[in-house]
Amino acid sequence: MLIGRKLRSIDPMIICSVAYDALSSRFARNDLVVRNAIEYDYPFRSLGQDIVLLGCCHGLVCMQVSYMVFKDFLCVWNPCTKEYKVIPDEKIEDETAYAFGYDSTIDDYKLFKVIQIPAGSIFCLVDVYTLGSNSWRSIEDITYCFHNEKKVGVLANGNLHWLGWSCKITDTQIVERSKVISSLDVSNERFHEMQLAKEPLENEHNFRSLGVLEGRLCVLFHDDSKLDLWVMQDYGVQESWTKQFSIMKEQIRDRRLISLMWSFKNNEDHKYLICAEHDLFLYEPKQARVRRPEINGLRSLHHVENHFESLVSLGSGTYVGR
C-alpha cells in the first residue's frame, strides 16, 4: 500500500496499491515501470491534507488523517469492503508512538499508543484502544526512548516491536541507556526487551529501521559507508541474528529514512524491495545492483506499508462513498 502525490504538486494525497506478483513479474522482465497501481477512495479523502499509516493487520488499515483546519483524527479502514470506523481520541500528540495488532485470545483488534511525557523525555504513558468496546484504557508506564526514524510499531510473531533505548534511572538521573528492541505482547499487554545483534553494537553501528523479512524480525544498521541487514532467525534469541546483505550508501544516495519492504525469490536469486524516503528501490545482492521502479502517475511517495486484502468486518455500518 502506497501513499503519495500524483504528478502535479497541486493534486491531493492518494492511497494506492501494487500487487507484489505484478512487481515480481516486471522485475523478472527488467520492466520497472508499474502501470497497474490501484487507487483507493479512502475515508474523508475530500478533507484530508495528510495521512499516516499506523499499521496494517488482517486486511485492516489503521491511519491518522490530518486536516488543515480541524484537529487530527484516527480511524480503522478496510480497503476491500470500504468499511471504516472513526476512533475516538482526545489526545493525539506529536511525540506519540503507535502500533496496531490482533489479540487472538479475545478475537479483537487493538491500537496501542505510547506518549512521551513531557515531549522528548524517557517517561512514557501507554494507552490501548480495543475495537470491539470502542474505548481506551491505560496500561503500564515505561521508561523508553523511541528511535526517531519510525515510531510505528512492527508486528511479528504476535508481538509489536519498536527500536529505541532502554533507560534505567535512579533519583531521576539516567544511569544506563542501551540500544534494544522493545516488544509488546498484544494479548497480555506487557512490555519486554529483546537484544540486538552483538557485532554491529560492538562496532558502534547505528540502527536505521526495524522490519519483517519472510516472517522474521530484521534490523538495518549503518556505518559511514554501508547499510547492513540483520535477520533474527529464531525469535527472541540474540545469538540467532544473521547478517543477510550489505548495500553501499551511495547506491541509494544515503537516504535518512529507509526500511525493507519485501523480498522476491527466483530460484536461488533474491531481490529486496526497499523504501527510502520518497522512493522505492530494488536491491539485487548477487549483482550488487540497485534499481528504481517507477509507479506510473505518482510524483512522490510519502509512506509505504504491506497490506493483504480481507473481508474482516468493523461492525460500524459506515462505508466510504455512502
Side-chain angles (χ1 to χ4, degrees), residues 62 74 76 85-89 99-101 108-113 127-137 189:
C62 188
L74 309 174
V76 181
K85 183 174 184 176
V86 175
I87 298 176
D89 191 2
F100 183 61
D108 208 345
Y109 295 85
K110 295 178 177 179
L111 174 63
F112 293 88
K113 178 174 64 175
D127 295 338
V128 56
Y129 167 83
T130 304
L131 188 65
S133 65
N134 195 36
S135 62
W136 289 92
R137 55 187 169 81
E189 300 174 356

Side-chain angles (χ1 to χ4, degrees), residues 175-295:
V175 296
E176 185 177 341
R177 178 175 158 132
S178 56
K179 296 178 182 178
V180 296
I181 296 173
S182 180
S183 175
L184 171 62
D185 189 301
V186 176
S187 297
N188 65 30
E189 300 174 356
R190 303 294 296 178
F191 283 87
H192 68 276
E193 295 176 4
M194 298 175 62
Q195 300 304 312
L196 291 158
K198 293 181 180 179
E199 181 181 325
L201 291 180
E202 291 171 351
N203 292 327
E204 298 184 349
H205 293 176
N206 295 313
F207 42 48
R208 183 66 65 93
S209 65
L210 181 68
V212 179
L213 177 63
E214 298 174 355
R216 297 181 177 91
L217 272 179
C218 62
V219 178
L220 276 169
F221 288 91
H222 70 96
D223 58 17
D224 293 335
S225 60
K226 68 183 187 307
L227 290 161
D228 296 328
L229 180 75
W230 287 76
V231 179
M232 178 178 271
Q233 303 295 340
D234 298 319
Y235 184 76
V237 180
Q238 184 183 25
E239 291 74 21
S240 71
W241 284 105
T242 305
K243 187 162 72 171
Q244 196 82 3
F245 64 75
S246 297
I247 178 173
M248 304 307 295
K249 280 187 174 181
E250 62 265 20
Q251 292 183 286
I252 53 172
R253 305 172 194 170
D254 193 16
R255 307 297 181 96
R256 185 174 66 89
L257 300 174
I258 180 169
S259 58
L260 177 71
M261 296 307 304
W262 201 253
S263 68
F264 305 92
K265 186 176 181 180
N266 183 13
N267 296 323
E268 296 302 319
D269 189 13
H270 274 84
K271 297 180 176 66
Y272 299 91
L273 188 65
I274 295 171
C275 179
E277 294 193 13
H278 302 308
D279 286 316
L280 288 176
F281 293 93
L282 180 72
Y283 178 58
E284 300 166 289
K286 191 173 182 179
Q287 295 83 11
R289 178 174 63 172
V290 171
R291 294 185 291 163
R292 181 179 176 274
E294 178 184 344
I295 310 298

Side-chain angles (χ1 to χ4, degrees), residues 61-188:
V61 178
C62 188
M63 55 196 287
Q64 178 178 333
V65 181
S66 300
Y67 288 158
M68 183 177 291
V69 179
F70 303 102
K71 65 180 180 180
D72 296 357
F73 74 93
L74 309 174
C75 77
V76 181
W77 165 54
N78 187 330
C80 187
T81 65
K82 300 184 179 181
E83 187 181 14
Y84 70 92
K85 183 174 184 176
V86 175
I87 298 176
D89 191 2
E90 298 298 326
K91 299 184 298 180
I92 300 179
E93 308 286 347
D94 291 335
E95 292 295 322
T96 301
Y98 288 96
F100 183 61
Y102 173 71
D103 185 346
S104 60
T105 63
I106 61 173
D107 188 25
D108 208 345
Y109 295 85
K110 295 178 177 179
L111 174 63
F112 293 88
K113 178 174 64 175
V114 186
I115 308 172
Q116 291 182 293
I117 302 293
S121 76
I122 65 170
F123 299 100
C124 298
L125 307 178
V126 185
D127 295 338
V128 56
Y129 167 83
T130 304
L131 188 65
S133 65
N134 195 36
S135 62
W136 289 92
R137 55 187 169 81
S138 297
I139 56 175
E140 67 172 312
D141 301 336
I142 58 174
T143 53
Y144 186 78
C145 298
F146 289 90
H147 187 40
N148 290 329
E149 306 299 357
K150 187 177 181 182
K151 292 185 178 180
V152 176
V154 172
L155 182 63
N157 210 62
N159 294 339
L160 296 160
H161 307 81
W162 292 269
L163 274 176
W165 294 266
S166 173
C167 304
K168 296 182 180 180
I169 59 174
T170 300
D171 298 329
T172 70
Q173 298 294 319
I174 300 176
V175 296
E176 185 177 341
R177 178 175 158 132
S178 56
K179 296 178 182 178
V180 296
I181 296 173
S182 180
S183 175
L184 171 62
D185 189 301
V186 176
S187 297
N188 65 30

